[in-house]
Amino acid sequence: TPTIDGDTVYVLGTRGDLAALSAQDGAERWRMNLTEAFGSTMPHWGFATSALVDGDQLIIEGGGPEGKSYAALDKKTGDVKWAHGDGGRQPGYNSALVVDMNGTRCYAYVAGEKLTCLDPTGAEVWTYPWPRGETHAMPLFVAPDKIFASGAEGVGATLVKITEEGDAAKAEEVWQTRFMRNHFSSSVVKDGYIYGFDNATLKCISVTSGEMAWAKRGLGKGSLILADGHLLVLSDRGELLLVKATPEYFQQKGSVQALEGKSWTSPTLSHGRLYLRNHTEIVSYDLAD
């Protein structure tokens, strides 16, 4: 997904071409190739992460070995400001999440066999072992001091709590479960419950225990976002559902066949307009009323 910052759009192509473009006319401001800059190997499904803008830095997964896994670029020039970590066999698919936790600003992500958080200078704040396997979904910040991460293909989900030890921080497991395996759709959190797709089943689980509150089949490997106390859920066949975000039971408020065919992209909501797409078309719905 492209990242927009003011009048600049940052885009990453599947073969590792990262570019900063003018939002007005598409003129190129700078360009780099991640495999050339960091010595990384193109992932099996191609490069698929989104760049994260934080202040004057552009945070990206370089995916390289020898301290070049994650990096910060100068967003105006593309110059590398710092790099950290070993990307392992190849870059991953999840994007970094910026969080303010315990008075520290950091970037949380899964790369290689670690769930890691770096501060804005590239220093490691904490790390936690992560099962080997593809992790596509982004980590989820559960305020005030927890991170939820999940992956498919036998990875499962883990909730960790971040605590301070003097000048350092550590991540400790709260719980693990095999029954919330986010594939390419990230979860959302509201009022102590996490909502997401366990492969092809929409589920609601407790932040406290990881136990399931309810499950809904029939939507395939869908995606969802949270808005105004409701879930906007898009099935992998283009059916759009409005679901109340409550742990009591699955409460569907309405539905519409918004698209036809494979729909693997999460909904986008902006200024009352909902945007949905599949592999061939994009549609927009007015939700302002």
Side-chain angles (χ1 to χ4, degrees), residues 37-54:
F38 300 105
S40 55
T41 302
M42 191 177 82
H44 178 75
W45 302 109
F47 286 91
T49 61
S50 296
L52 169 67
V53 175
D54 188 43

Side-chain angles (χ1 to χ4, degrees), residues 225 227 232 268-275 284-289:
I225 58 174
L232 291 165
T268 298
L269 181 64
S270 178
H271 302 286
R273 294 289 294 274
L274 184 70
Y275 300 88
S284 178
Y285 286 83
D286 186 352
L287 303 186
D289 294 334

Side-chain angles (χ1 to χ4, degrees), residues 52-55 59 95-101 104-109 117-120 138-141 147:
L52 169 67
V53 175
D54 188 43
I59 311 300
S95 303
L97 173 73
V98 60
V99 295
D100 290 298
M101 189 163 32
T104 301
R105 189 170 185 83
C106 63
Y107 314 121
Y109 61 90
C117 210
L118 306 179
D119 74 12
M138 285 182 62
L140 179 65
F141 177 45
I147 296 288

Side-chain angles (χ1 to χ4, degrees), residues 123-147:
E124 188 175 283
V125 180
W126 54 263
T127 187
Y128 183 83
W130 190 252
R132 174 175 291 184
E134 294 182 356
T135 300
H136 300 250
M138 285 182 62
L140 179 65
F141 177 45
V142 182
D145 56 5
K146 298 179 181 66
I147 296 288

Side-chain angles (χ1 to χ4, degrees), residues 20-44:
L21 310 176
S22 166
Q24 182 175 0
D25 59 11
E28 185 176 299
R29 292 175 175 168
W30 57 259
R31 173 188 291 264
M32 71 186 305
N33 181 273
L34 300 187
T35 61
E36 296 173 0
F38 300 105
S40 55
T41 302
M42 191 177 82
H44 178 75

Side-chain angles (χ1 to χ4, degrees), residues 178-212:
R178 294 187 299 114
F179 302 110
M180 182 57 107
R181 297 154 296 180
N182 293 164
H183 193 184
F184 45 76
S185 174
S186 303
S187 291
V188 298
V189 61
K190 183 180 185 297
D191 297 338
Y193 287 86
I194 294 170
Y195 302 85
F197 275 89
D198 179 10
N199 274 325
T201 303
L202 177 63
K203 289 185 177 179
C204 170
I205 66 172
S206 166
V207 166
T208 302
S209 64
E211 294 180 353
M212 185 178 68

Side-chain angles (χ1 to χ4, degrees), residues 5 53-58 75 105 107:
D5 178 53
V53 175
D54 188 43
D56 63 354
Q57 297 191 137
L58 188 72
K75 70 178 185 181
R105 189 170 185 83
Y107 314 121

